């Protein structure tokens, strides 16, 4: 004989389903019938059932939030700290990286510099820390230096540079990847300086570069602009030097020429002392040409 639920129970269940639809709780609605059966079979009580239904819905919403935030941050390739092979880069202090994952550097508006030869894991670590920040509900923007300067240059041409800098300054964390990989277009260093100056002591940054600080004059095409940048970017800074072989080429080391394998690693020079007031925008515009 088939057991049927009392009419009043069915009516109550229908009302609950209707309420879940009205509250836009699709995951709770999806698991409701199975949860009710577990209650009827004595597997769980009502409070546990309610807890499980709400946790299912909360997990779905959190996953959606993180997915959307990752897209907004332009983190299309997801890397995690769990997926980083610290044993391949023994020069890295794992505990130091994990301490950064606690995100207190964001609260202190610090700048994290990840320096090292190509392929040593700088972008992986920067991406992983950005993902941790997104999961924690922080507003994150991720970009290569080339793309960032291109967006600033376009905004300047459109007469919207101030609005673009204001938007980028609102992010809790700005990650700028691949500094030094491509030449900076004329005037690009000045545009980047304006953004850095707007975020100085207000927002945290993570920068990755395959070039030492002493080479930034060459990277940005102007030693004065480079000095002005470093004046701010090294004031409240965490500098992490990665010394090691390419992580991406670890399985093909015997195919790499010796002069490439033995290439000198990047060594950051001493942090420059701050001197005087920041250069004015008009002065930098003149310098950058």
């Amino acid at each position: 004989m088939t057991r049927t639920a009392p009419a009043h129970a069915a009516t109550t269940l229908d009302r609950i389903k209707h309420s879940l639809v009205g509250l836009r709780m699709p995951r709770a609605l999806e698991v409701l019938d199975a949860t009710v059966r577990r209650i009827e079979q004595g597997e769980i009580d009502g409070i546990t059932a309610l807890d499980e239904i709400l946790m299912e819905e909360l997990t779905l919403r959190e996953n959606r939030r993180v997915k959307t935030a990752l897209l907004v941050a332009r983190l299309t390739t997801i890397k995690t700290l769990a997926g980083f092979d610290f044993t391949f880069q023994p020069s890295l202090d794992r505990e130091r990286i994990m301490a950064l994952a606690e995100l207190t550097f964001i609260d202190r508006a610090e700048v994290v510099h990840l320096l090292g030869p190509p392929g040593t894991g700088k972008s992986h670590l920067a991406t992983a820390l950005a993902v941790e920040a997104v999961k924690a509900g922080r507003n994150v923007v991720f970009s290569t230096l080339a793309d960032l300067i291109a967006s600033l240059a376009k905004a300047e041409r459109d007469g919207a540079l101030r609005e673009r800098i204001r938007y980028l300054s609102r992010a809790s964390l700005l990650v700028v990847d691949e500094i030094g990989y491509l030449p900076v277009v004329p005037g690009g260093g000045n545009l980047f300086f304006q953004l850095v100056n707007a975020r100085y002591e207000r927002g945290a940054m993570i920068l990755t570069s395959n070039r030492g600080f002493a080479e930034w004059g060459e990277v940005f095409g102007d030693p004065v602009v480079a000095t002005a940048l470093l004046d701010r970017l090294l004031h409240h800074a965490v500098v992490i030097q990665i010394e090691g072989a390419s992580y991406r080429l670890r399985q093909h080391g015997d195919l790499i020429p010796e002069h490439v394998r033995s290439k000198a690693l990047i060594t950051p020079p001493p942090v420059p002392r701050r001197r005087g007031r920041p250069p004015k925008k008009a002065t930098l515009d003149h310098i950058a040409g």
Side-chain angles (χ1 to χ4, degrees):
M1 182 175 182
T2 304
R3 179 183 178 185
T4 59
H8 70 86
T11 302
T12 301
L13 192 59
D14 289 340
R15 285 202 306 269
I16 292 174
K17 290 180 178 180
H18 184 268
S19 297
L20 293 177
V21 171
L23 292 169
R24 297 181 180 180
M25 300 175 66
R27 182 57 182 166
L29 182 62
E30 183 179 344
V31 302
L32 178 62
D33 286 336
T35 304
V36 169
R37 285 195 297 270
R38 293 177 63 199
I39 295 175
E40 292 174 343
Q41 293 168 5
E43 295 181 14
I44 55 175
D45 57 27
I47 294 298
T48 302
L50 180 61
D51 178 53
E52 290 186 2
I53 288 175
L54 293 178
M55 285 302 299
E56 287 278 352
E57 182 66 32
L58 186 60
T59 299
L60 175 65
R61 294 191 179 193
E62 179 64 11
N63 289 340
R64 285 179 174 175
R65 181 196 69 78
V66 170
K67 184 178 180 180
T68 301
L70 291 173
L71 290 175
V72 171
R74 302 189 66 178
L75 283 162
T76 53
T77 301
I78 306 304
K79 302 287 186 179
T80 65
L81 291 176
F84 188 84
D85 186 2
F86 284 93
T87 62
F88 188 76
Q89 301 295 7
S91 67
L92 265 179
D93 185 343
R94 184 181 185 280
E95 295 305 316
R96 194 179 186 194
I97 299 298
M98 299 311 292
L100 288 174
E102 296 176 3
L103 307 178
T104 54
F105 77 94
I106 295 180
D107 300 324
R108 295 190 294 266
E110 293 177 339
V111 180
V112 177
H113 296 266
L114 300 172
L115 305 178
T120 50
K122 304 180 300 296
S123 296
H124 185 137
L125 291 174
T127 301
L129 290 172
V131 169
E132 291 298 318
V134 167
K135 289 181 178 179
R138 307 300 183 99
N139 184 13
V140 177
V141 173
F142 187 103
S143 177
T144 64
L145 177 65
D147 287 347
L148 180 63
I149 289 178
S151 74
L152 292 172
K154 182 180 185 302
E156 185 178 44
R157 291 193 300 270
D158 295 342
L161 180 60
R162 180 176 298 180
E163 289 75 12
R164 182 62 180 168
I165 289 178
R166 186 180 296 118
Y167 166 77
L168 292 170
S169 296
R170 286 199 296 265
S172 300
L173 175 63
L174 173 63
V175 182
V176 184
D177 197 20
E178 298 182 356
I179 295 176
Y181 283 78
L182 295 174
V184 174
V185 298
N190 178 37
L191 292 171
F192 186 49
F193 170 81
Q194 292 181 57
L195 173 59
V196 168
N197 195 44
R199 291 187 60 87
Y200 173 60
E201 295 188 325
R202 296 185 182 92
M205 299 177 68
I206 298 177
L207 309 179
T208 76
S209 180
N210 66 332
R211 308 284 290 274
F213 298 135
E215 300 176 83
W216 276 35
E218 177 185 345
V219 169
F220 287 94
D222 192 314
V224 177
V225 171
T227 299
L229 282 167
L230 291 172
D231 186 50
R232 287 148 186 77
L233 293 174
L234 292 175
H235 185 207
H236 305 288
V238 177
V239 180
I240 296 178
Q241 178 75 40
I242 306 176
E243 301 175 353
S246 171
Y247 183 79
R248 289 189 291 269
L249 298 178
R250 62 193 183 281
Q251 296 178 338
H252 308 286
D254 56 335
L255 302 179
I256 305 173
E258 177 60 31
H259 73 281
V260 175
R261 292 201 301 269
S262 60
K263 185 177 180 181
L265 299 172
I266 299 170
T267 302
V271 176
R273 292 188 303 169
R274 296 178 55 78
R275 300 184 298 275
R277 297 178 61 83
K280 295 182 179 179
K281 176 181 181 297
T283 303
L284 281 175
D285 287 340
H286 175 72
I287 291 171

